[in-house]
Amino acid sequence: MDLSIVIPVFNEEGNLSQLFGELKSVLDSLGQTSEVIVVDDGSRDRSFSLIQEWSRKDSRFKGVRLSKNYGQTAAISAGLEKSEGKMIAFMDADLQNDPKDLPKLLQKLQEGYDLVSGWRKHRKDPFFSKVLPSHWANWIIARITRVPLHDFGCTLKVYRSGFIKPLRLYGEMHRFVPTFASFLGARMAEVEVNHRKRVSGNSKYGFSRIFKVSLDLVTVKFMEDYMAKPIYVFGGAGAIMGIVGALLATVTLYYKFYVGIYVKDQPLFLVSIFFALIGFQLIFLGIIAEILIRVYYELKDRPSYFVRETVGFN
Ligand code: UDP
Ligand code: MG
């Protein structure tokens, strides 16, 4: 199988028929073996019966129905799990992404990239609630994660499957898939894509996404820099606090013996105890984090490195 297209769906009955129609004509013209995996994320409308209907008509269309609404990330993971293509494309179900852009992205991938990301340069979404915050968010995410993309939020992206199959995604981490792929050393390119207004159905996200993205960014950054060596963060911070605590204790003693200000009259004494305690705590936290990380890698049987290719094995 050359290409798998994974589409998460939550209450999109008004969009599916047109989406499948557009996809079908693009796939017919591609001349590659392909499948469309549509994941119904617990829709309460007719979405799944539409998927079933299409699947009966065209064997390339396949449906997965989740037992309840788990969220876009889980839906994407479920689709990924079932996919067999050497290339994987993601796309929204709300017709905002244009299937006609697919060939462009795939062609770029063939040029030797592992990930080609869509960039909605002319986005058709409300300015204050979507376009502006996402512009800032993209800027910050690109700086902090050092992944130079303009549009993390654009679902339309294609990957070589080897770079995303090993990923385990939690929460709303689908926005950081390119970041994780880049941790694995993926070569990335970006292509401008068409973006359309949402005509049917509602957006599933509001302002709360800003907080979630910010917190996720902290996790992602930590995972990037310190996942394999958390003791460096906790131990480092702990050591600094310990040293500051010891210095303050020395000052306190100096005052006691040479200046005549007693410990009970000296607020620095309490501060130094505080620093020393927190310092110890942090160091032990670091050791626990180290143990957890080892368990994590062992349990998942996942090495802390990623092999791009092998030769000579069968
Ligand atoms: N989606 C989903 N589960 C959810 C929320 C969204 O499968 O809990 C799907 C939704 O049907 C759409 C895609 O994820 O295909 C993106 O959602 P939406 O268009 O609401 O996001 P926006 O474009 O407003 O950022
Ligand atoms: Mg949308």
Side-chain angles (χ1 to χ4, degrees):
M1 178 83 65
D2 295 320
L3 171 68
S4 301
I5 302 171
V6 175
I7 306 179
V9 169
F10 182 47
N11 296 339
E12 305 282 6
E13 61 182 358
N15 296 313
L16 292 182
S17 298
Q18 189 186 336
L19 174 74
F20 294 160
E22 290 183 9
L23 260 174
K24 180 177 156 34
S25 52
V26 169
L27 293 183
D28 290 343
S29 70
L30 264 182
Q32 286 173 322
T33 47
S34 56
E35 61 180 356
V36 181
I37 301 181
V38 192
V39 185
D40 176 11
D41 183 18
S43 297
R44 287 179 281 272
D45 61 3
R46 288 178 50 248
S47 294
F48 194 70
S49 28
L50 292 171
I51 298 169
Q52 277 176 315
E53 212 175 278
W54 269 83
S55 165
R56 274 195 295 270
K57 277 196 290 198
D58 185 330
S59 63
R60 289 172 297 188
F61 286 79
K62 301 167 184 178
V64 176
R65 187 182 203 175
L66 300 185
S67 59
K68 61 166 203 177
N69 179 234
Y70 284 94
Q72 195 178 341
T73 298
I76 284 176
S77 305
L80 201 55
E81 171 81 32
K82 289 264 186 272
S83 68
E84 288 172 357
K86 291 197 283 290
M87 297 175 287
I88 314 265
F90 293 105
M91 177 180 293
D92 280 349
D94 57 1
L95 289 169
Q96 293 201 267
N97 297 132
D98 188 344
K100 286 201 204 68
D101 286 319
L102 258 181
K104 229 177 6 180
L105 296 180
L106 292 171
Q107 196 192 339
K108 194 82 191 167
L109 198 76
Q110 304 294 356
E111 287 173 19
Y113 294 99
D114 305 308
L115 146 57
V116 179
S117 169
W119 176 12
R120 300 164 294 177
K121 203 165 183 181
H122 306 286
R123 222 179 133 169
K124 306 286 187 311
D125 272 323
F127 183 74
F128 281 105
S129 63
K130 289 237 151 131
V131 181
L132 191 66
S134 112
H135 190 77
W136 290 336
N138 282 314
W139 191 87
I140 294 171
I141 294 172
R143 294 289 161 312
I144 292 187
T145 61
R146 293 186 292 264
V147 177
L149 294 181
H150 288 92
D151 195 353
F152 288 86
C154 177
T155 314
L156 185 58
K157 296 186 186 341
V158 296
Y159 297 82
R160 262 176 225 293
S161 69
F163 279 84
I164 44 169
K165 282 274 172 141
L167 299 183
R168 292 289 172 275
L169 303 170
Y170 305 97
E172 293 190 1
M173 287 290 188
H174 60 272
R175 304 189 183 100
F176 292 96
V177 173
T179 315
F180 294 128
S182 103
F183 293 171
L184 300 180
R187 291 179 288 232
M188 281 184 259
E190 206 166 33
V191 165
E192 256 183 61
V193 295
N194 185 18
H195 193 242
R196 306 182 286 195
K197 251 200 165 69
R198 191 190 248 281
V199 178
S200 179
N202 304 316
S203 170
K204 312 300 184 293
Y205 301 102
F207 272 110
S208 69
R209 129 159 80 186
I210 296 175
F211 299 103
K212 292 182 180 165
V213 172
S214 313
L215 292 173
D216 281 345
L217 186 58
V218 175
T219 314
V220 168
K221 182 65 183 166
F222 184 84
M223 284 171 75
E224 178 188 11
D225 290 353
Y226 297 109
M227 188 61 174
K229 41 186 179 352
I231 189 85
Y232 292 174
V233 189
F234 293 110
I240 291 172
M241 299 208 73
I243 291 168
V244 172
L247 283 178
L248 295 180
T250 316
V251 172
T252 319
L253 287 177
Y254 170 82
Y255 273 98
K256 177 184 156 86
F257 289 118
Y258 298 99
V259 186
I261 300 178
Y262 288 97
V263 169
K264 67 177 172 49
D265 303 320
Q266 174 57 281
L268 274 188
F269 180 57
L270 282 179
V271 178
S272 108
I273 292 177
F274 173 79
F275 270 70
L277 280 179
I278 301 275
F280 276 120
Q281 291 284 349
L282 280 176
I283 290 171
F284 286 117
L285 202 62
I287 294 169
I288 289 176
E290 282 288 322
I291 295 169
L292 282 179
I293 285 301
R294 279 165 182 61
V295 173
Y296 171 84
Y297 283 118
E298 294 291 323
L299 258 189
K300 305 268 171 152
D301 195 18
R302 186 177 321 148
S304 50
Y305 52 85
F306 178 74
V307 179
R308 180 187 287 276
E309 272 175 90
T310 53
V311 65
F313 293 89
N314 42 16

